[in-house]
Amino acid sequence: MKTVCIIGTGLIGGSMALDLRKGEFAARIIGVEQHAAHAADALACGLVDAVLPLEEALSEASLTILAIPVNAALQLLPRILDLLTPGAVVLDVGSTKAQLCAAVAHHPKRAQYVAAHPIAGTENSGPRAALAGLFQGKTNIICEQERSSQQALAEALALMEVLGMRTLYMRAEEHDKHLAYVSHLSHISSFVLSLTVLDIEKEEENIFALAGSGFASTARLAKSSPAMWGPIFEQNTAFLSLALQEYITHLQLFQQRLQQGNTPALLQMMEEANRIRPILEGKSRTPQPAL
Amino acid sequence: MKTVCIIGTGLIGGSMALDLRKGEFAARIIGVEQHAAHAADALACGLVDAVLPLEEALSEASLTILAIPVNAALQLLPRILDLLTPGAVVLDVGSTKAQLCAAVAHHPKRAQYVAAHPIAGTENSGPRAALAGLFQGKTNIICEQERSSQQALAEALALMEVLGMRTLYMRAEEHDKHLAYVSHLSHISSFVLSLTVLDIEKEEENIFALAGSGFASTARLAKSSPAMWGPIFEQNTAFLSLALQEYITHLQLFQQRLQQGNTPALLQMMEEANRIRPILEGKSRTPQPAL
């Protein structure tokens, strides 16, 4: 069993702590946490055994998980590599990968780093939002695996296995492009849906009374942390801007057909949209029976 | 206990049948269902005791629930009123109210009709999607209550009480305007998000692998029935078109600030959007403690 350091004891770092302890992967978990209130919560919830300053934590740990907003990770990762002891491994778990990989591309200890993105989360944040089993059955992406040492990769994969994740490999730019569409865009659509409704429905009482479970589901991500998502949008602006433009163009087409009273065309768009059901439910992946 | 006729034994009609039987409101439930497969399912699931032709069903029932797509309801409601026996009551449960109320405004039996909208549902449809308790704790809207007889209103309210719903009253246009924002718009945002991602991510495998629970939640409504939603959009075009324009305008503002790298402005928009959390969770309704 290892001594694991978790930098950032929020939803993601905290949920990992729960599973790593339960899975007997970590004998000791050290938190590094700049917010005093989060540090106190992480200790009180038993997520970490101690909260220590960065240098001290890194000197003890053989595996470090960097789980802070992506702008802060961009600042901190080079310094962590500077401090990393021989044989120790650091992985990050952020939602953008290209800028971070570029920032440490020429670092002499690059091979001790694994660029990961375990795709899981909720709209909540902070140590008290940590959930056991959050990662179970979900997908982890590793980028630039050829730039990590075999040992570092093996340790990262062992960790993901304890969390119950399967790992796929992608180039960092490819990761950021796909995530723009499949995750970041849906956060924007939800944030802006919430904003629009709040702007128009001045009587909040109406929103509460009239919102069905449908609106609640569509607007759920609008509860997400700006401090986490702002830096993701900033680092993924190029792909996200393309994704958002496509979304706006599709909405304008829907709007045009709505105003023309062209219901058959609207029905066709909705039927096409319905194709998301088997994909989300994984049915499109069912192999065809052999003939 | 009553004999209740349910026209349309899908998600809404079928879920009502389950609760009305369990709540001992209905002694006998007669289905009217034009799709043979749905009729068979409704009988097999025990939602209804019999499926009969419209005239026969109306001659037996003292209370009729019209739970079919809103375009079909617009066609059928005048005929139902023509056939309605003295003292019998009909209520509809559709998601648009203005056109339907207008269609029967001058019907001699208008007072036997209650224009209702129990706000509940899922992305699934058909008798096998029926869920007990679907309406529990949710809101029902009644429009033009002054045009329904006291007896008809009392019967509708008794039914909604068995379902566990609280009833609010609104003008039909006001209902359609609010619903455009708080329900219909979120369906469009979800249908079009799904379309956009399907158009761009040609590799469906990627969507399955990379979509987190966030995308699944935001795109959930994209699984909804086009046959149900097309007519709603058609009947609510004027308000919905305004709502959609507002949404597009807000997305364009977000896009502009994204491209400008104006993260502080994006953070401000997200913080504003976060205000939906206490509203959706009903916390903004908590009365202030008395001084």
Side-chain angles (χ1 to χ4, degrees):
Chain A
M1 291 213 284
K2 293 172 181 302
T3 295
V4 173
C5 166
I6 298 182
I7 304 176
T9 58
L11 167 68
I12 298 297
S15 299
M16 287 194 162
L18 289 172
D19 287 354
L20 295 183
R21 199 186 294 280
K22 197 172 158 203
E24 299 192 347
F25 182 91
R28 173 166 160 81
I29 302 182
I30 306 167
V32 174
E33 179 55 66
Q34 70 169 136
H35 301 291
H38 282 190
D41 282 349
L43 284 165
C45 298
L47 302 178
V48 297
D49 300 301
V51 174
L52 295 178
L54 180 67
E55 292 76 0
E56 213 173 317
L58 291 177
S59 72
E60 275 196 48
S62 65
L63 180 66
T64 292
I65 299 167
L66 182 59
I68 58 180
V70 295
N71 55 338
L74 198 59
Q75 299 282 315
L76 196 59
L77 181 59
R79 179 137 173 269
I80 293 170
L81 283 178
D82 292 344
L83 294 167
L84 216 59
T85 56
V89 171
V90 60
L91 60 92
D92 88 297
V93 296
S95 297
T96 48
K97 295 267 79 73
Q99 286 195 28
L100 192 59
C101 285
V104 294
H106 305 294
H107 196 286
K109 299 189 201 163
R110 171 64 181 85
Q112 291 176 257
Y113 162 60
V114 178
H117 179 198
I119 304 176
T122 75
E123 71 276 26
N124 301 315
S125 52
R128 295 199 177 270
L131 282 175
L134 178 65
F135 306 96
Q136 187 63 47
K138 297 183 183 154
T139 302
N140 170 54
I141 310 291
I142 288 181
C143 296
E144 295 194 352
Q145 76 272 20
E146 71 286 356
R147 311 207 57 183
S148 302
S149 72
Q150 288 303 317
Q151 178 225 339
L153 263 185
E155 294 205 24
L157 288 174
L159 179 145
M160 294 303 168
E161 197 167 328
V162 170
L163 299 179
M165 304 196 89
R166 65 165 186 157
T167 291
L168 301 180
Y169 300 91
M170 279 187 187
R171 288 186 304 109
E173 282 74 20
E174 194 189 354
H175 166 277
D176 287 5
K177 186 180 79 176
H178 289 306
L179 268 288
Y181 279 97
V182 167
S183 163
H184 307 170
L185 177 60
S186 61
H187 282 78
I188 294 183
S189 89
S190 192
F191 275 125
V192 176
L193 179 69
S194 162
L195 260 185
T196 307
V197 172
L198 287 165
D199 264 8
I200 304 305
E201 289 284 354
K202 299 300 180 197
E203 298 292 325
E204 295 182 358
E205 190 70 14
N206 275 330
I207 303 177
F208 176 77
L210 304 181
S213 56
F215 177 74
S217 169
T218 318
R220 178 170 71 84
L221 299 181
K223 304 173 188 174
S224 303
S225 157
M228 172 180 167
W229 283 96
I232 292 172
F233 297 156
E234 195 173 58
Q235 287 191 17
N236 207 12
T237 294
F239 290 123
L240 194 47
S241 179
L242 284 174
L244 187 49
Q245 190 50 57
E246 284 291 337
Y247 185 50
I248 291 170
T249 302
H250 281 76
L251 285 167
Q252 285 169 329
L253 182 63
F254 198 100
Q255 167 80 309
Q256 191 187 344
R257 289 173 172 179
L258 180 73
Q259 288 175 335
Q260 289 164 347
N262 189 349
T263 304
L266 293 183
L267 288 175
Q268 206 177 358
M269 290 178 84
M270 287 186 264
E271 278 155 19
E272 176 67 17
N274 279 174
R275 287 181 48 231
I276 207 70
R277 180 191 286 267
I279 295 172
L280 284 180
E281 291 168 4
K283 284 183 189 157
S284 64
R285 297 178 66 246
T286 309
Q288 293 301 308
L291 291 173
Chain B
M1 290 213 282
K2 290 172 183 302
T3 295
V4 172
C5 167
I6 298 182
I7 304 177
T9 58
L11 167 68
I12 298 296
S15 299
M16 286 194 162
L18 289 172
D19 287 354
L20 295 183
R21 199 187 293 281
K22 196 170 158 207
E24 300 192 344
F25 182 91
R28 174 166 159 82
I29 301 182
I30 305 168
V32 174
E33 179 54 66
Q34 68 170 136
H35 302 291
H38 281 190
D41 282 351
L43 284 164
C45 298
L47 302 178
V48 297
D49 300 299
V51 174
L52 295 178
L54 180 67
E55 292 76 359
E56 214 173 316
L58 290 178
S59 73
E60 274 196 47
S62 65
L63 180 65
T64 292
I65 298 166
L66 182 60
I68 58 180
V70 295
N71 56 338
L74 200 57
Q75 299 282 315
L76 197 60
L77 181 59
R79 178 135 173 273
I80 293 169
L81 284 177
D82 292 344
L83 293 167
L84 217 59
T85 55
V89 171
V90 59
L91 60 94
D92 89 297
V93 295
S95 297
T96 48
K97 296 267 79 75
Q99 286 194 27
L100 193 60
C101 284
V104 295
H106 304 294
H107 196 287
K109 299 189 200 163
R110 170 63 182 86
Q112 290 176 258
Y113 162 61
V114 178
H117 180 198
I119 303 176
T122 75
E123 71 277 26
N124 302 314
S125 51
R128 295 198 177 271
L131 283 176
L134 178 65
F135 305 96
Q136 187 64 46
K138 297 183 182 153
T139 301
N140 171 56
I141 309 291
I142 289 182
C143 296
E144 295 195 351
Q145 76 273 21
E146 70 287 355
R147 311 207 56 183
S148 303
S149 71
Q150 287 303 316
Q151 178 225 338
L153 263 185
E155 293 204 24
L157 289 175
L159 178 147
M160 296 302 167
E161 196 167 329
V162 170
L163 298 179
M165 304 196 89
R166 65 164 186 158
T167 291
L168 301 180
Y169 300 90
M170 277 187 188
R171 287 184 306 107
E173 282 73 22
E174 193 189 354
H175 166 278
D176 287 6
K177 185 180 81 175
H178 289 306
L179 268 288
Y181 280 97
V182 167
S183 163
H184 307 169
L185 177 61
S186 61
H187 282 79
I188 294 183
S189 88
S190 192
F191 275 124
V192 176
L193 179 69
S194 162
L195 260 185
T196 306
V197 172
L198 287 166
D199 264 6
I200 304 306
E201 288 285 353
K202 300 299 179 194
E203 299 292 327
E204 294 182 359
E205 192 69 14
N206 275 331
I207 303 177
F208 176 77
L210 304 180
S213 56
F215 178 74
S217 168
T218 319
R220 179 170 71 83
L221 298 181
K223 304 174 186 173
S224 303
S225 159
M228 173 180 166
W229 283 95
I232 291 171
F233 296 157
E234 196 173 59
Q235 287 191 17
N236 207 12
T237 293
F239 289 124
L240 194 47
S241 179
L242 285 173
L244 188 48
Q245 191 50 57
E246 285 291 337
Y247 185 49
I248 291 171
T249 302
H250 281 76
L251 285 166
Q252 285 169 329
L253 181 64
F254 198 98
Q255 167 82 309
Q256 191 187 343
R257 289 172 173 181
L258 181 71
Q259 288 175 334
Q260 289 166 346
N262 189 349
T263 304
L266 293 183
L267 289 174
Q268 206 176 0
M269 288 177 85
M270 288 185 265
E271 277 155 19
E272 175 68 16
N274 280 172
R275 286 181 47 233
I276 207 69
R277 181 191 285 266
I279 295 171
L280 285 179
E281 292 168 3
K283 286 185 188 156
S284 66
R285 295 178 66 246
T286 310
Q288 295 300 308
L291 291 173

